[in-house]
Amino acid sequence: MTDNGDLAKTISAALSDYLKPAGFRKRVNSFNRAANDGLLHHVSVQLGPFDPSGKHAVPGLVPDLYGRYRVNLGVYVPEMNRMGSPRASWINDYNCQLRWGLGDFMPGGFDQWWDLRDRLSVEEVCRVLATRALPHLDLFSSADQVLDSYEEQGPRAFGPITPEAAALDVADLLIARGRRSDAERLLHAYVLSVSLGDHTGHKEYLRQYLAERDFESLGKPLQ
């Protein structure tokens, strides 16, 4: 019987037909492509977790994802490194600051998991990847494009799971691009929004973040 790992390899091989001509390199079930300014594009096949007990699946609420897969896409921006830099040159999904699932590019924009044994699902995945997902990644092919997207759409430009603290990542990118005054304006607005809430731990982190970048004066509303 074919195991899930072998099926995932088959799906990755099908994706290669679209990704390699687009400049991606393959490693196991993931792909990387170099863009401008040190950015890297990422695509990978993620398998659902094995849960033999079934304890984590709740009918109607939490599905059993074993035997299913999703496709992750992301963009890694080297200057957005406040959470640390990757340990290796190969970029994984969790290294990316901008992240999407392939289902985000389908009608309804939901978290889509496909059956590993459904051959028709591979055709759908490849079609959505080629016609919608890859053109979207192309919109983030330089640092300036990343900044422009954030300016137009805010945190949601970086994907549905992007936290509000993405403003700090954008500020780091602005500083690296020599746009320190723009970073200051962004951080001032972010500090004011944080100061209105009860986020003691994050306020302390934010004060440290500002001090490390010589923006201590912006932290006064956090007192």
Side-chain angles (χ1 to χ4, degrees), residues 5-161:
D6 291 336
L7 291 170
K9 291 178 182 178
T10 300
I11 294 164
S12 295
L15 298 187
S16 292
D17 293 339
Y18 296 87
L19 293 173
K20 286 192 173 182
F24 283 85
R25 296 177 296 126
K26 182 176 182 294
R27 179 179 294 184
V28 191
N29 294 323
S30 70
F31 301 81
N32 277 192
R33 176 177 68 179
N36 297 313
D37 303 322
L39 276 66
L40 286 168
H41 293 166
H42 167 86
V43 178
S44 61
V45 176
Q46 176 185 349
L47 298 180
F50 179 51
D51 181 22
S53 68
K55 292 180 180 179
H56 299 290
V58 180
L61 293 175
V62 182
D64 181 3
L65 296 175
Y66 183 65
R68 307 185 72 82
Y69 72 98
R70 61 171 275 161
V71 177
N72 302 313
L73 301 100
V75 180
Y76 169 73
V77 185
E79 287 86 356
M80 294 181 174
N81 59 2
R82 65 186 177 88
M83 303 305 290
S85 300
R87 297 181 178 179
S89 60
W90 190 264
I91 297 301
N92 296 296
D93 176 61
Y94 53 80
N95 299 127
C96 296
Q97 299 90 353
L98 289 68
R99 298 170 67 187
W100 303 269
L102 193 63
D104 296 321
F105 303 98
M106 300 175 66
F110 54 92
D111 186 19
Q112 176 67 50
W113 292 78
W114 288 270
D115 190 327
L116 279 165
R117 291 169 175 77
D118 181 1
R119 292 182 179 274
L120 292 178
S121 74
V122 181
E123 296 180 9
E124 180 180 46
V125 164
C126 290
R127 182 176 67 253
V128 176
L129 181 70
T131 61
R132 299 182 183 180
L134 288 184
H136 188 76
L137 284 184
D138 289 339
L139 299 176
F140 300 92
S141 294
S142 71
D144 286 340
Q145 285 181 309
V146 171
L147 292 172
D148 289 344
S149 295
Y150 187 88
E151 184 176 347
E152 293 172 4
Q153 303 179 50
R156 63 190 180 93
F158 291 1
I161 63 172

